[in-house]
């Protein structure tokens, strides 16, 4: 018997997977992630990058199949996925996976929503496809062992396209052959570079949208007979070798116990509107705020984290200490620490064009120093601990340490807390009645006869 390729094995797992095969806690977590990302999508309607992407796709037009959330305007399914995913990543507050080192829901969910709306999919089939697609995204990220960033890649975009494609092929009921072709085609659309971090541009947001759109397109192409390589993952010129840093990857992580152990259930809900790597540092800052530390008493702050956090969130030093735009602030260790201490919060209102100019926050950010902690580095990417130490004018020392940031599986956000986040962030766009209807629909997602019932409340 010829051994199946990784893509074929993934496609076979997807073909055979049934809603009843998925544990109840995984299904419950999936609903948390869906409500969370819906807040991020509709809440970001008025963000400038959201306006740019929607103005572009509305001008392109297309077959009115799927809704752009927040607007109620229908366009082609791939373009709807592009718009909704790009908006959903604007706040950088959508869920993520620490070992997978990427955001999965913001890519997979919009792709499936665009297809489900066009094909009148019910809640159970949608949840099954969503969980399966998310699992593919996360497992591919884990297979890179936390190192693909060092090669310059943004795994939300590079891995996410496969999850969107996998979820789409499941939703469309593909057999193993079409599913394999879908993944093979997706490999040629894996994209996303970390260079956005250099000057704080919007391409990270677009990379989520591009992956979502490309996943839909991959499935539609395969459905019409287009072909892609069966060995897209393990091939000599395949995805893992091409996108890994110094060939550091583990193919076994892609399919090992797939269908028995669900990595996507370990996704983390974000409570701060900034990079995942700064989350534990923001938690430490909030702890220091609660301890009574006052910004004007501080002489110096030392932040300890892993190597990637330091390299990614502290340099170039000038735009990290004094962010020139919101993206700079979202990816700034000094800003996350300073705003948490000063404001006792690091949510959407703390990451606006006006908020990042606050002189008190900027003054405190200039006092933040940083260093790699060898013990913290040793557990990356399985854990993201952090320590922040502040010294005051009167010689006192305040210390905060976080082993698991709020939102991680070991320090979880409850469904009730996600509901509160949804009410807050979605209120930027939606009225109270629609907000409560969305909460009810998502809470009973498996009972939806047609996902369009939910979509009709999201604009």
């Amino acid at each position: 018997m010829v051994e199946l390729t990784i893509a074929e094995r993934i496609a076979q797992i997807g073909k055979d997977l049934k809603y009843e095969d998925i544990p109840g806690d995984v299904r419950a977590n999936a609903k948390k992630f869906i409500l969370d990302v819906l807040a991020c999508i509709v809440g970001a309607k008025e963000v400038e990058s959201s306006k740019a992407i929607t103005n572009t796709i509305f001008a392109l037009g297309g077959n009115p199949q799927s809704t752009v959330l927040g607007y109620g305007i229908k366009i082609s399914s791939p373009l709807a996925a592009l718009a909704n995913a790009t908006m959903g990543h604007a706040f950088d507050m959508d869920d993520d996976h620490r070992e997978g080192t990427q955001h999965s829901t913001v890519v997979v969910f919009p792709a499936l929503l665009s297809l489900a709306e066009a094909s009148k999919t019910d809640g159970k089939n949608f949840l099954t496809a969503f969980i399966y697609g998310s699992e593919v995204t996360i497992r591919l990220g884990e297979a890179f062992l936390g190192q693909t960033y060092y090669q310059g890649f943004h795994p939300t975009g590079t891995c996410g396209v496969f999850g969107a494609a996998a979820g789409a092929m499941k939703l469309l009921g593909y057999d193993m052959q079409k599913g394999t072709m879908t993944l093979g085609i997706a490999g040629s659309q894996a994209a996303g570079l970390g260079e956005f971090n250099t000057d704080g541009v919007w391409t990270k947001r677009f990379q989520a949208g591009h992956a979502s759109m490309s996943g839909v397109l991959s499935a539609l192409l395969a459905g019409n007979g287009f072909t892609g390589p069966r060995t897209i993952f393990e091939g000599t010129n395949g995805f893992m070798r091409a996108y890994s840093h110094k060939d550091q990857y583990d193919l076994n992580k892609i399919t090992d116990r797939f269908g028995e152990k669900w990595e996507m259930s370990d996704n983390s809900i974000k409570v701060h509107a900034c990079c995942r790597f700064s989350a534990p540092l923001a938690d430490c800052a909030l702890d220091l705020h609660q301890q009574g530390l006052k910004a004007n008493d501080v002489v110096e702050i030392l932040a300890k984290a892993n190597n990637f956090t330091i390299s990614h969130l502290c340099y170039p030093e000038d735009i990290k200490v004094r962010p020139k735009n919101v993206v700079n602030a979202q990816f700034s260790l000094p800003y996350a620490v300073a705003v948490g201490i000063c404001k006792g919060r690091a949510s959407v209102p703390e990451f606006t064009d006006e908020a990042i100019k606050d002189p008190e926050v900027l003054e405190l950010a200039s006092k933040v120093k940083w260093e790699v902690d060898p013990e913290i580095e040793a557990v990356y990417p399985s854990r993201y601990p952090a320590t922040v130490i502040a010294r005051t004018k009167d010689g006192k020392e305040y210390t905060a340490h976080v082993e698991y940031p709020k939102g991680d599986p070991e320090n979880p956000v409850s469904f009730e807390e996600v509901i509160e986040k949804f009410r807050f962030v979605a209120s930027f766009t939606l009225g109270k009645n629609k907000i409560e209807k969305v909460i009810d629909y998502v809470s009973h997602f498996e009972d939806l006869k047609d996902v369009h019932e939910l979509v009709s409340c999201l604009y």
Side-chain angles (χ1 to χ4, degrees), residues 18 31 45 62 67 78 143 153 194 225 235 244 257 274 297 299 341 367 370 372 380 394 416 420 426 429 455:
K18 297 179 178 60
K31 291 191 286 187
K45 176 186 175 183
T67 303
F153 292 117
S244 62
R257 298 181 64 201
C274 53
D297 291 335
V299 174
I341 292 172
K367 298 177 182 179
W370 48 81
V372 175
Y380 172 79
D394 59 5
E416 290 70 27
E420 289 309 307
T429 300
V455 174

Side-chain angles (χ1 to χ4, degrees), residues 281-294 301-302 337 340-341 387-390 397-401:
L281 294 149
D283 281 350
C284 287
L286 267 59
D287 184 350
L288 295 176
H289 175 87
Q290 291 164 1
Q291 289 182 39
L293 180 65
K294 304 298 181 184
I301 295 173
L302 176 63
V337 170
I341 292 172
T387 302
V388 177
I389 303 165
E397 193 169 273
Y398 291 75
T399 300
H401 176 79

Side-chain angles (χ1 to χ4, degrees), residues 157-185:
T158 59
C159 300
V161 66
F162 291 103
M169 74 193 194
K170 175 63 178 173
L171 198 75
L172 296 171
Y174 285 179
D175 60 18
M176 188 184 77
Q177 183 178 1
K178 279 188 178 179
T180 303
M181 294 300 103
T182 298
L183 293 170
I185 296 166

Side-chain angles (χ1 to χ4, degrees), residues 206-236:
F206 171 72
Q207 285 159 191
H210 178 267
S212 193
M213 173 186 69
S214 298
V216 173
L217 184 59
S218 297
L220 295 177
L221 284 168
N224 282 304
F226 209 90
T227 60
R230 296 166 49 252
T231 53
I232 188 60
F233 297 114
E234 69 271 39
T236 303

Side-chain angles (χ1 to χ4, degrees), residues 267-319:
N267 254 8
S268 298
I269 298 287
K270 295 181 72 174
V271 297
H272 308 304
C274 53
C275 176
R276 194 267 189 267
F277 288 91
S278 61
L281 294 149
D283 281 350
C284 287
L286 267 59
D287 184 350
L288 295 176
H289 175 87
Q290 291 164 1
Q291 289 182 39
L293 180 65
K294 304 298 181 184
N296 58 5
D297 291 335
V298 173
V299 174
E300 186 177 68
I301 295 173
L302 176 63
K304 298 182 178 183
N306 63 50
N307 180 65
F308 184 77
T309 297
I310 300 299
S311 63
H312 196 56
L313 303 184
C314 298
Y315 303 99
E317 194 168 331
D318 60 333
I319 64 172

